[in-house]
Amino acid sequence: MKTQAAIAAFSATLHRRSLNVLGILENRLAPIVAGWVALILVACFLRILISPLPPQGLSLDLVMPYVLLVGAPAASLLLALRWFSDGEAMPQPTYRLARAGRWQDLAPSIARRHPLYGTSGIMVSLLVGMLLNIPVRAAEYLMTMPAIGAAAPEWLSVLHFWMTLDAVLVSSLYAVCFAAAIRKVPLFPRLLLLVWLVDIAMQLLIAQGAVATGLPPSVAAPLHVLLEKNITKVMISMGLWLPYLLLSTRVNVTYRSRIPA
């Protein structure tokens, strides 16, 4: 009895903490985005400052990757929050991809009254993880890619293009996923799966596109390690979260309007 009471108390404490974090994510998202923009702007400025500037100095080609790195994820998040303002009222998909287990469908109005409806609990960890993907990807990009101009070697220009596309596209997609999750959009689980697959595909495309230009060995080796690490991180995330997204009662109540049969 004491053990069960201790477990129940611990679970209640974790749930209260998840509600606190969720409240911050829902009610203070604008200051979080503003803080992110300010921080990454400073980081981009420092990256340009310590990079060997081309003879023509600052140019649109040099600055634009950093404008996209800062602006695209922030704009994607704010736009997605507007697109998904009525997310929980959106219709369920016609065809179910999550078919593991036995489930009983509920009317959306009944599902919203279920005790497990919502994005608290373990879901908060997933929300935070998706949001943290944005600064992590930006930091990796700033640490690995110098500011370059039009006179850069072909291999560096190609690599810079692919790495910029990866950082901007994947960060923006994770921002859209976060918005879909917090707005309880029914398509969120399959949207996150799609973003994971895009993330892996981007790492493979970078490897193929960069290697085709004949990278110097001193660059090819660390690039291989970075891309392999990124793929490993995505695979670990899929291994950890796919079972939860498929089988969690909270996820199924919130995003699929169904409960275990």
Side-chain angles (χ1 to χ4, degrees):
M1 291 294 293
K2 289 183 179 180
T3 302
Q4 292 178 345
I7 294 174
F10 181 68
S11 298
T13 300
L14 289 180
H15 187 67
R16 285 195 300 270
R17 291 179 178 175
S18 75
L19 288 175
N20 291 337
V21 175
L22 182 61
I24 293 173
L25 294 177
E26 290 181 335
N27 302 319
R28 304 193 63 185
L29 201 53
I32 291 173
V33 173
W36 145 255
V37 170
L39 182 63
I40 194 62
L41 278 174
V42 172
C44 289
F45 174 76
L46 293 175
R47 174 75 268 189
I48 294 174
L49 196 63
I50 65 175
S51 298
L53 292 179
Q56 69 269 26
L58 291 176
S59 64
L60 184 62
D61 289 343
L62 186 145
V63 174
M64 185 54 68
Y66 301 103
V67 173
L68 294 174
L69 185 69
V70 175
S76 297
L77 176 57
L78 297 177
L79 288 172
L81 287 171
R82 177 170 294 185
W83 296 333
F84 301 145
S85 57
D86 297 323
E88 60 185 350
M90 290 181 174
Q92 290 288 323
T94 303
Y95 183 76
R96 294 284 187 195
L97 296 181
R99 307 183 70 85
R102 299 181 61 187
W103 305 94
Q104 175 186 342
D105 290 334
L106 298 175
S109 58
I110 296 176
R112 290 172 200 149
R113 296 197 295 269
H114 193 280
L116 291 179
Y117 182 84
T119 53
S120 59
I122 298 176
M123 263 301 298
V124 170
S125 298
L126 181 55
L127 291 174
V128 172
M130 287 187 291
L131 207 56
L132 285 177
N133 257 308
I134 300 172
V136 167
R137 282 304 176 89
E140 288 179 346
Y141 175 81
L142 292 174
M143 287 188 294
T144 56
M145 285 288 102
I148 66 169
E154 181 184 2
W155 67 264
L156 182 55
S157 296
V158 172
L159 179 59
H160 196 275
F161 168 80
W162 282 108
M163 294 295 285
T164 302
L165 179 62
D166 174 58
V168 172
L169 176 63
V170 174
S171 296
S172 299
L173 289 176
Y174 277 118
V176 172
C177 263
F178 172 84
I182 208 164
R183 294 296 199 215
K184 307 177 187 69
V185 176
L187 288 175
F188 159 69
R190 61 180 69 184
L191 179 60
L192 180 55
L193 175 60
L194 176 62
V195 174
W196 279 331
L197 296 178
V198 170
D199 198 348
I200 292 174
M202 282 302 302
Q203 310 312 305
L204 299 176
L205 286 173
I206 291 171
Q208 183 178 11
V211 168
T213 62
L215 291 178
S218 59
V219 175
L223 176 65
H224 176 78
V225 172
L226 175 64
L227 298 180
E228 188 177 66
K229 183 181 73 172
N230 287 342
I231 291 176
T232 301
K233 285 191 298 186
V234 177
M235 296 299 293
I236 290 173
S237 295
M238 292 177 69
L240 287 174
W241 288 110
L242 266 180
Y244 175 76
L245 292 173
L246 288 171
L247 301 174
S248 164
T249 301
R250 179 178 297 280
V251 171
N252 278 279
V253 168
T254 305
Y255 298 104
R256 302 187 182 102
S257 295
R258 64 186 189 182
I259 56 174

